[in-house]
Amino acid sequence: MNAHDSEKVSGTLLEHGYTQVATPEDAGLVLYNTCSIRDKAEQKVFNRLQNFKRAGNGKIFGVLGCVAQQEGEKIFDRAPHVSLVCGSASYPRFGEMLVQLEAGARRVTGLSLDTEETFDTPFTRRDNPHRAYITIIEGCDKSCAYCVVPFTRGPERSRTSESVMAEARRLAGAGYSEIQLLGQNVNSYRDPSPAGWNFAALLERVAAVTGIRRVRYTTSHPRDFGKDIVEAMDRHQAICDHVHLPVQSGSTRVLRSMERQYTRDEYMRRIEWLKSAGRRYSLTTDIIVGFPGETEQDFEQTLDLLDQVQYDSLFSFKYSPRPNTAALQMSDVVPDEEKQRRLVTLQEKQRAIQIRRNAEMIGDIREVLVEGRHQSLGQWIGRTSDNRTLNFTHTAGDGDSLVGRYLPVRVTRSGPNSLVGESVTVV
Ligand code: 5AD
Ligand code: SF4
């Protein structure tokens, strides 16, 4: 979400006549987009701002994103060289704020969360020429006890289906072949226009756009992940063979205290839908270890869930207390050494699962979208529909760039995090 926000902000700057330079030292305007989902984000931001300050006189500095929203005007007091503090819910007004800065204003803010708008712009400057993000819903109406997002990104608001579809068609026309639909909780997408599409309907329509070969989406909330999504996926090969379904914990007791609104059994039902679906879907997840009150037995249930589900990859985090969240008031804090031990145990278990699952791919032929080249290894970098990295050698016509092409590749070797193969000549 943040990477795409930066693409939209950069595009707005270009539209206003700015040009991009290679380093902050060369810039007249430095905007720092920030995340505060975990760790000591605020501290990192202030340290970085100090370094920026040393790097230049006469520059204009701005702080964007979740730390801006969270710390607000305090940023001006701690870092007086900053002239703009703006959270993501105010990006629709970013152009106006730029005009104020140019006119010499030195304490410009965009901090209101009271909005029904989303940040849509035709001027997005995209980092990748083949894969494009499209935001379909911003904000979050859940209240997970550990999570700062509802306080930093504000309430849910969906884009109209017309506007999403128009962007998808424009991207296809411009040569993009992969689209990634974005939102904090894409499953609660609800078209505000009379068409009234839900997420599954939107997903199917985007997958049917001529020229779009791959559609991904992130992130799903299990509570709102309906069977209609699996059915839509089964119907459209263009929807990638991958579902990221963050579980957070394998213990119903912990899920309840996290206010996740589903039990372990309800989560497993969704996994069963996916496992018994028309295609093989790769599953990935997010897990938090050491949430307040998580016992050894709770943690073992998370380990057991990994055995049951067999994820292809996961993101795991030590619980990190966040401002404003309900979990801050909870007792039974898990000591950091114990969180660390659980994190390592979890990651080791998952690594073994991935080594085994990836080894099972050897001999398979998979289609990859070529994303780049490892010059030193003499390999092209490919990504499969199920979101694995599959690097490969390609002998025929090696002088030409393959980036952006779709090619069949035979898997010859595997590791815990990626696969290696060779391109297959199609006769
Ligand atoms: N501490 C640790 N991990 C967190 N996440 C969100 N908030 C916290 C927190 N306070 C993780 C969740 C979420 C992912 C994006 O970040 O696992 O799914
Ligand atoms: Fe945070 Fe929960 Fe919303 Fe995800 S669903 S952004 S974890 S509050």
Side-chain angles (χ1 to χ4, degrees):
M1 292 288 293
N2 255 10
H4 185 44
D5 285 345
S6 292
E7 291 183 335
K8 291 194 254 185
V9 168
S10 305
T12 311
L13 288 170
L14 292 174
E15 188 224 344
H16 277 251
Y18 287 74
T19 50
Q20 185 152 12
V21 290
T23 65
E25 289 73 32
D26 295 336
L29 170 70
V30 178
L31 300 176
Y32 188 26
N33 194 5
T34 61
C35 170
S36 63
I37 192 95
R38 291 176 294 274
D39 305 321
K40 309 221 164 0
E42 312 74 51
Q43 200 46 51
K44 280 191 215 157
V45 170
F46 285 115
N47 292 344
R48 185 74 76 91
L49 285 174
Q50 276 312 312
N51 297 340
F52 281 157
K53 185 182 176 187
R54 277 193 283 278
N57 268 330
K59 294 185 194 309
I60 298 176
F61 293 98
V63 182
L64 307 181
C66 290
V67 175
Q69 189 68 51
Q70 185 183 299
E71 300 296 303
E73 303 202 10
K74 278 188 273 175
I75 294 179
F76 294 131
D77 301 332
R78 280 186 68 179
H81 56 298
V82 170
S83 304
L84 170 70
V85 174
C86 175
S88 64
S90 300
Y91 291 160
R93 288 183 34 236
F94 180 74
E96 284 166 42
M97 291 185 246
L98 211 48
V99 172
Q100 292 175 39
L101 285 175
E102 286 161 3
R106 285 299 165 261
R107 278 192 167 214
V108 179
T109 54
L111 294 170
S112 169
L113 286 180
D114 182 17
T115 178
E116 289 177 6
E117 265 184 286
T118 52
F119 181 31
D120 307 340
T121 165
F123 300 107
T124 307
R125 185 201 53 76
R126 297 181 184 274
D127 291 331
N128 185 308
H130 308 288
R131 183 193 328 133
Y133 296 118
I134 301 183
T135 307
I136 61 166
I137 177 168
E138 291 183 23
C140 182
D141 282 350
K142 294 277 185 289
S143 45
C144 302
Y146 51 80
C147 185
V148 78
V149 167
F151 306 98
T152 59
R153 285 189 174 271
E156 272 178 9
R157 56 245 183 237
S158 293
R159 268 175 84 176
T160 63
S161 56
E162 296 95 293
S163 134
V164 172
M165 292 306 294
E167 186 165 2
R169 287 191 208 102
R170 205 165 50 236
L171 289 165
Y176 292 88
S177 62
E178 179 174 320
I179 280 179
Q180 180 150 5
L181 302 176
L182 288 181
Q184 231 62 52
N185 176 7
V186 287
N187 310 140
S188 64
Y189 173 82
R190 180 62 63 176
D191 181 4
S193 67
W197 296 354
N198 66 7
F199 176 63
L202 182 73
L203 186 61
E204 286 202 64
R205 260 63 159 225
V206 172
V209 170
T210 310
I212 297 303
R213 293 186 57 162
R214 285 185 174 180
V215 182
R216 302 183 186 280
Y217 58 90
T218 196
T219 279
S220 287
H221 189 291
R223 158 87 181 222
D224 303 323
F225 187 87
K227 206 168 188 179
D228 56 346
I229 300 174
V230 185
E231 288 161 0
M233 294 179 77
D234 280 350
R235 277 196 291 270
H236 291 271
Q237 289 295 320
I239 306 175
C240 288
D241 312 335
H242 171 217
V243 179
H244 183 66
L245 201 57
V247 67
Q248 314 299 355
S249 167
S251 152
T252 293
R253 211 182 62 82
V254 172
L255 290 172
R256 194 176 311 121
S257 94
M258 286 177 165
E259 295 177 55
R260 286 290 286 178
Q261 306 180 357
Y262 54 85
T263 62
R264 176 188 174 119
D265 285 350
E266 284 163 347
Y267 181 85
M268 284 309 295
R269 204 167 309 143
R270 276 129 184 101
I271 298 294
E272 288 314 318
W273 293 342
L274 287 159
K275 292 207 183 216
S276 57
R279 273 190 280 158
R280 257 183 83 172
Y281 293 110
S282 170
L283 302 169
T284 60
T285 200
D286 293 346
I287 288 183
I288 298 176
V289 297
F291 187 72
E294 183 188 69
T295 62
E296 185 59 28
Q297 289 73 29
D298 292 319
F299 175 61
E300 279 168 15
Q301 289 188 37
T302 300
L303 295 177
D304 178 71
L305 185 92
L306 300 199
D307 280 329
Q308 275 202 29
V309 177
Q310 297 283 308
Y311 293 108
D312 282 317
S313 140
L314 58 77
F315 297 106
S316 50
F317 312 101
K318 290 191 276 186
Y319 165 70
S320 154
R322 300 283 73 212
N324 305 314
T325 57
L328 268 188
Q329 316 302 327
M330 293 181 184
S331 48
D332 282 338
V333 168
V334 178
D336 192 60
E337 310 79 74
E338 181 57 18
K339 284 190 214 167
Q340 183 62 28
R341 187 194 66 80
R342 290 181 193 174
L343 187 72
V344 170
T345 308
L346 182 94
Q347 289 176 345
E348 279 174 359
K349 179 172 196 71
Q350 179 59 25
R351 186 179 155 86
I353 292 175
Q354 284 176 210
I355 289 174
R356 195 175 37 68
R357 288 182 65 81
N358 284 343
E360 286 170 11
M361 307 279 144
I362 294 176
D364 283 5
I365 295 176
R366 294 298 184 95
E367 184 183 66
V368 298
L369 165 58
V370 186
E371 295 189 335
R373 182 160 170 88
H374 274 307
Q375 211 55 37
S376 55
L377 298 174
Q379 287 175 347
W380 294 96
I381 303 167
R383 184 166 301 275
T384 61
S385 167
D386 70 2
N387 211 32
R388 284 180 161 84
T389 301
L390 169 49
N391 297 335
F392 64 98
T393 49
H394 176 85
T395 39
D398 222 6
D400 304 335
S401 175
L402 301 178
V403 174
R405 286 179 53 189
Y406 288 81
L407 294 177
V409 173
R410 179 179 290 106
V411 180
T412 54
R413 281 187 286 138
S414 69
N417 297 309
S418 63
L419 306 169
V420 178
E422 54 202 16
S423 68
V424 179
T425 316
V426 202
V427 198

